[in-house]
Amino acid sequence: MGAKLRARDIMSGGVQCVGAHQSLFDAAKMMRDLNVGCLPICGDNNRLTGLITDRDIVVKCCAEGIDPATVQAGSLMAKVHWIDAEADAGDVLTAMEEHQIKRLPVIDVQGGHRLIGMITEANLAKNLSDEQIAEFASRVYASAGMSGRSGD
C-alpha cells in the first residue's frame, strides 16, 4: 500500500458532533454551517454513538411530514462502523469496502477512545493511489446496479 499511511494521516480532523438529544433541525443547521453532509452523533458521555446524514433527515423525517425540530438526532442512529486511528490505509479501505460505506469515523483508541476525525471519499482521493481508489470505487459502488460484472 505504498508509504505506511495510517487512518490518522488520511482523515480530516476537527470533526464536530451533534448531540444525541439535539434536534434534527439543529443537525441540519450544523451541516449547513460546517458545509458537510454527515455528522457524528455523540452521547452524553461525548462518545460516538452513530452518524446522521443530510439524506437521513430528508428521507426519514421531512419526507414523512415530521417537523425536524421535534425529532432527536439520536432517534435515527443505526449501527456505526469506525476505525482505530493507528489502523493502516489498507484496513481503512477494507472496512469501507466491506461495509459499503463512504464515511468512516476515526477513533483514538489509545487516547481514551475519543472521536478525532472522519475519513471520506475525498480524503481517499487526496491520499491514495489511483489504483487503490479505482479498487475502492469498484467494490463500494458495485452493488449499485453493476452486479453482473466481475469485481476482482
Side-chain angles (χ1 to χ4, degrees), residues 46-113:
N46 208 27
R47 300 279 172 100
L48 179 69
T49 59
L51 290 178
I52 187 165
T53 66
D54 48 5
R55 187 175 193 286
D56 292 333
I57 295 170
V58 170
V59 172
K60 297 176 182 174
C61 182
C62 299
E64 297 297 326
I66 302 169
D67 179 357
T70 65
V71 179
Q72 291 185 352
S75 69
L76 294 187
M77 288 187 303
K79 180 174 171 76
V80 63
H81 301 283
W82 55 270
I83 195 144
D84 185 346
E86 297 305 316
D88 70 32
D91 294 335
V92 168
L93 287 173
T94 298
M96 293 176 81
E97 291 167 358
E98 185 176 296
H99 301 295
Q100 302 254 312
I101 55 178
K102 301 173 193 171
R103 300 169 181 100
L104 187 63
V106 179
I107 303 290
D108 187 356
V109 174
Q110 294 176 342
H113 214 272

Side-chain angles (χ1 to χ4, degrees), residues 128-150:
L128 303 178
S129 71
D130 290 346
E131 185 176 286
Q132 290 170 311
I133 295 165
E135 182 70 17
F136 168 79
S138 71
R139 291 187 181 188
V140 170
Y141 294 104
S143 65
M146 304 290 282
S147 59
R149 302 181 99 176
S150 59

